[in-house]
Amino acid sequence: MIRLRRARPLLGTLVEIRVQGHDEMGLQHALDAGFSSVERIQRLMSFHESGSDVSRLNREANSHPVMVSAETYRVLTIAGRVSAVSKGIFDVTVAPELIRRALLPIWPDAVLPSGPASWRDVELLPEHRVRFRRPLMIDLGGIAKGFAVDQAIKALMQFPLVSVVVNAGGDLRVAGANIETIYLRHPFRSGRVLPSWNVYDAAVATSSVAVARAFDSPTSTYVHPADHGAQTRFASVSVKASTCVVADALTKVLMLGNHDALDSLDAFDAQALVVGWDGQASVSRPVQRGSRHNVSRKQQASATGVVCV
């Protein structure tokens, strides 16, 4: 059995892909395909690149429908569902507030929308067209990284691989025959890990104040569209779900929401491990017994290990 591991700086983090199979040349081609798919999502959904779908929408969709890629349309569709389930806690129209906090750049001569807007004002039209019902700006930073991981998995599994792990700075997905034991680092206590998860054909995403500390504020990278001054409910949130795009988005829902935000997990058959500001960790209600990403005791015996931040 041959194992290869490669990493590249993408999506504002280090994206690592680990593959296992019997053909080294095939593994190399698979790695190239996986990284190419991540690069494509970065080009399409970057807030920073002027030619991305996101930038074109922010420039033009206030005045007329804009055609976007199938991938961007899919992410906006998923984002809309998460927004609906979370009652607006997750909202991609938060970009103006992120700009005001200097967490996102603004291009020359751009004018920030001043009126109220929300995810409900993002209209998805046939043929992958998108229109904004009122002036607004979107940012897909809270969901696109998870989608990029899913797309990498999709590209990789076109090859005859035994197992695959894609890890994009805390957004991770496992596919293939192996089970991975995911060890989550404690956000406050160096060297300490949280209760582990055995993951089979599923994803885990983490949002933590450890990231926000770079901005000298525990709330700076998580902005609630309805309450910009609110402190995050938890210090760290990890979510296990069938896809990384869903796990990625739900971490923001739980970080920003109240106790009722945990109900959003049920809609996606997901599970969460949260760490409060007192440093105590707890696991949400278990995923349903029929979930495809549950791991049997027999499978657990063959689990390998990987750390997810």
Side-chain angles (χ1 to χ4, degrees):
M1 190 72 68
I2 301 170
R3 296 176 177 85
L4 295 181
R5 188 175 189 173
R6 299 288 185 271
R8 294 182 188 176
L10 292 165
L11 306 172
T13 187
L14 193 66
V15 176
E16 179 185 83
I17 300 178
R18 181 153 51 91
V19 294
Q20 181 176 328
H22 301 284
D23 175 20
E24 184 171 0
M25 185 63 69
L27 294 178
Q28 295 283 4
H29 290 320
L31 287 168
D32 290 341
F35 283 118
S36 293
S37 67
V38 174
E39 290 169 352
R40 173 173 170 79
I41 300 307
Q42 179 173 271
R43 289 194 302 271
L44 290 173
M45 303 184 198
S46 171
F47 189 92
H48 302 75
E49 296 189 21
S50 61
S52 70
D53 281 352
V54 168
S55 292
R56 291 191 304 108
L57 286 170
N58 286 336
R59 287 195 303 268
E60 305 171 26
N62 292 320
S63 58
H64 62 84
V66 175
M67 183 174 292
V68 299
S69 66
E71 293 96 330
T72 301
Y73 194 89
R74 175 63 177 158
V75 168
L76 287 171
T77 301
I78 297 170
R81 185 184 173 203
V82 176
S83 295
V85 167
S86 68
K87 300 178 182 177
I89 294 173
F90 186 85
D91 193 331
V92 297
T93 68
V94 74
E97 180 62 25
L98 294 175
I99 291 172
R100 294 184 185 101
R101 292 183 176 219
L103 298 176
L104 286 177
I106 186 166
W107 55 86
D109 302 324
V111 178
L112 290 182
S114 58
S118 75
W119 63 276
R120 298 181 185 277
D121 297 308
V122 178
E123 186 177 6
L124 302 182
L125 303 171
E127 299 177 347
H128 299 153
R129 294 176 302 140
V130 181
R131 177 174 58 198
F132 298 161
R133 295 191 177 100
R134 64 180 66 194
L136 60 86
M137 297 173 68
I138 66 168
D139 172 52
L140 299 181
I143 191 171
K145 188 167 69 168
F147 184 75
V149 170
D150 289 333
Q151 290 297 102
I153 289 289
K154 182 179 178 181
L156 287 158
M157 294 310 290
Q158 300 301 311
F159 296 83
L161 305 179
V162 173
S163 67
V164 176
V165 178
V166 178
N167 187 354
D171 287 8
L172 177 149
R173 184 167 167 184
V174 176
N178 287 356
I179 301 94
E180 299 289 341
T181 301
I182 310 299
Y183 296 97
L184 303 164
R185 296 189 181 99
H186 197 287
F188 300 144
R189 300 167 186 173
S190 178
R192 177 179 169 183
V193 294
L194 300 168
S196 63
W197 269 331
N198 289 317
V199 178
Y200 170 73
D201 193 23
V204 174
T206 297
S207 288
S208 169
V209 293
V211 176
R213 282 174 179 166
F215 299 96
D216 296 322
S217 167
T219 63
S220 59
T221 56
Y222 307 99
V223 181
H224 195 301
D227 188 359
H228 304 315
Q231 179 173 320
T232 57
R233 176 173 173 80
F234 301 109
S236 175
V237 170
S238 297
V239 172
K240 178 166 67 171
S242 59
T243 62
C244 201
V245 65
V246 166
D248 191 12
L250 288 179
T251 62
K252 282 72 178 182
V253 173
L254 269 62
M255 286 290 282
L256 295 170
N258 55 26
H259 181 73
D260 293 338
L262 288 169
D263 294 337
S264 300
L265 296 171
D266 289 341
F268 296 97
D269 195 13
Q271 185 180 21
L273 188 154
V274 301
V275 179
W277 288 101
D278 59 359
Q280 297 301 308
S282 60
V283 179
S284 73
R285 61 181 67 84
V287 291
Q288 296 174 10
R289 187 165 297 175
S291 296
R292 57 191 291 269
H293 48 278
N294 275 346
V295 180
S296 69
R297 290 184 179 178
K298 183 178 180 180
Q299 289 173 320
Q300 288 179 19
S302 63
T304 58
V306 61
V307 173
C308 174
V309 296

